[in-house]
Amino acid sequence: MKPPPFDYHAPRSLGEALDALAEAGEHGKVLAGGQSLIPMLNMRLAAPAHLVDINRLSELATLDVGPDGVRVGALARHAQVERSERVAAVQPLLREALRLVAHPVIRNRGTVVGSLAHADPAAELPAVLALLGGSVRLARPGVTRDVPAADFFVGPLESAVESGELAVSAFFPALLPRSGTAFREVARRHGDYALAGIAALVRLDDDLRITSATVACVSVGPVPVVVDVTAACGHRPPATADWASAAWAVQDRVDPETDIHATADYRRHLTGVLAEQALRDAAREATGA
Ligand SMILES: Cc1cc2nc3c(=O)[nH]c(=O)nc-3n(C[C@H](O)[C@H](O)[C@H](O)COP(=O)(O)OP(=O)(O)OC[C@H]3O[C@@H](n4cnc5c(N)ncnc54)[C@H](O)[C@@H]3O)c2cc1C
């Protein structure tokens, strides 16, 4: 199918893009990598009257890496972030998760910020942002606001981006010392959206005891489901922590739905299995083993 008719805008600067979006209001949509939006237009699941293409805004194709974390501009492609050694050194979970996103050809076009704005609960990057406690910077003419991940994902395919706003960047906090992360998922084929997935973060103190253990679950709720399992792990060294109890705690907290790909029970079961694996991996990384 062909998309419904729309007016196409190709701004040359951020200011022009913000003006075009403000003018279009609720009838406008941002076109970034187009990997989700174009299929939705072709299937007539979206019918914006105005499409504001940000692909000429090279000022948004940025990756700012510092000791505090990584700020990813709205036009940084998945592949650019995935291949950056500086990003991997500061926050390795980004690379690990991006390798599970679709296929290389899609990662060459798709953008990290676009994936966040799209807010698909089956996508990896929203879970990463939610787990790490990152944020998304939104702009409209003369106004900029930072929205924490906990408030950013509102529902399936629904984010805090309002009509007339552009998500200009996203911030992913750095991995702290004595911390480890991991991403585990099960998909029918590599590159498919996951039936279930887990991003995990484990932090240790100077005596290498667990001070916090958290997961973010993919594909088992309307938004990424963040579960703190520190109490279930028991403030012990990773080798004696009760990872099975932690996994049960995660499984208990999710409320997946049955669809054509998997039953709710199977997704819940997968969530527990993957949570235990990801937590163990993250703890291993935290100990430097
Ligand atoms: C075959 C296939 C398999 C895929 N598999 C996966 C997968 O396994 N995991 C996964 O996470 N993703 C997957 N994707 C989606 C892919 O990662 C997309 O790149 C991503 O979801 C959207 O990024 P984009 O830049 O292409 O956004 P677009 O498609 O351009 O936009 C998506 C939505 O976000 C909005 N938007 C985009 N950028 C902004 C912005 N800066 N400000 C405000 N709104 C914005 C758009 O208006 C639109 O509503 C897959 C896609 C395909 C085609």
Side-chain angles (χ1 to χ4, degrees):
M1 272 171 74
K2 298 267 188 277
F6 52 81
D7 285 345
Y8 175 74
H9 304 259
R12 298 265 168 194
S13 69
L14 177 58
E16 277 181 36
L18 296 183
D19 286 344
L21 280 168
E23 207 165 307
E26 62 180 304
H27 304 293
K29 271 239 171 254
V30 175
L31 173 65
Q35 299 304 300
S36 298
L37 182 57
I38 297 297
M40 288 181 76
L41 294 179
N42 288 345
M43 288 187 277
R44 310 241 167 169
L45 296 172
H50 298 270
L51 219 55
V52 179
D53 182 348
I54 61 169
N55 281 277
R56 287 166 188 78
L57 307 186
S58 51
E59 64 206 275
L60 297 181
T62 49
L63 266 185
D64 293 325
V65 187
D68 293 345
V70 180
R71 182 165 290 283
V72 181
L75 209 54
R77 314 284 174 182
H78 294 320
Q80 182 186 347
V81 181
E82 177 191 345
R83 289 185 197 138
S84 166
E85 295 301 336
R86 290 169 62 233
V87 169
V90 168
Q91 185 41 266
L93 186 60
L94 271 169
R95 176 179 282 176
E96 192 174 355
L98 278 163
R99 285 183 172 157
L100 299 168
V101 172
H103 308 283
V105 70
I106 289 160
R107 301 204 291 270
N108 283 340
R109 288 296 299 175
T111 63
V112 166
V113 173
S115 176
L116 300 172
H118 190 54
D120 190 331
E124 287 81 1
L125 294 171
V128 170
L129 193 82
L131 178 77
L132 300 176
S135 59
V136 180
R137 182 162 294 169
L138 305 177
R140 60 173 74 244
V143 186
T144 301
R145 62 185 181 120
D146 284 328
V147 182
D151 300 328
F152 187 75
F153 302 107
V154 177
L157 307 189
E158 201 185 344
S159 73
V161 182
E162 290 176 2
S163 297
E165 277 187 318
L166 177 70
V168 287
S169 65
F171 181 72
F172 295 86
L175 187 67
L176 298 174
R178 289 182 298 286
S179 302
T181 53
F183 206 112
R184 288 276 190 141
E185 70 174 38
V186 169
R188 290 169 71 100
R189 294 166 303 192
H190 181 76
D192 281 5
Y193 281 102
L195 296 177
I198 296 282
L201 170 63
V202 174
R203 293 192 177 121
L204 308 177
D205 62 16
D206 289 343
D207 299 324
L208 300 184
R209 287 173 182 274
I210 296 164
T211 54
S212 82
T214 318
V215 298
C217 312
V218 173
S219 275
V220 287
V223 295
V225 183
V226 177
V227 187
D228 184 338
V229 292
T230 314
C233 293
H235 295 282
R236 297 198 204 133
T240 59
D242 189 353
W243 298 118
S245 290
W248 274 112
V250 178
Q251 208 169 311
D252 258 11
R253 279 284 305 281
V254 300
D255 189 17
E257 288 185 0
T258 295
D259 62 16
I260 55 166
H261 303 295
T263 64
D265 283 348
Y266 182 56
R267 282 186 204 272
R268 192 176 298 106
H269 168 74
L270 276 182
T271 299
V273 172
L274 294 169
E276 181 166 350
Q277 293 175 352
L279 283 163
R280 284 181 185 276
D281 285 352
R284 198 172 305 119
E285 190 182 283
T287 56

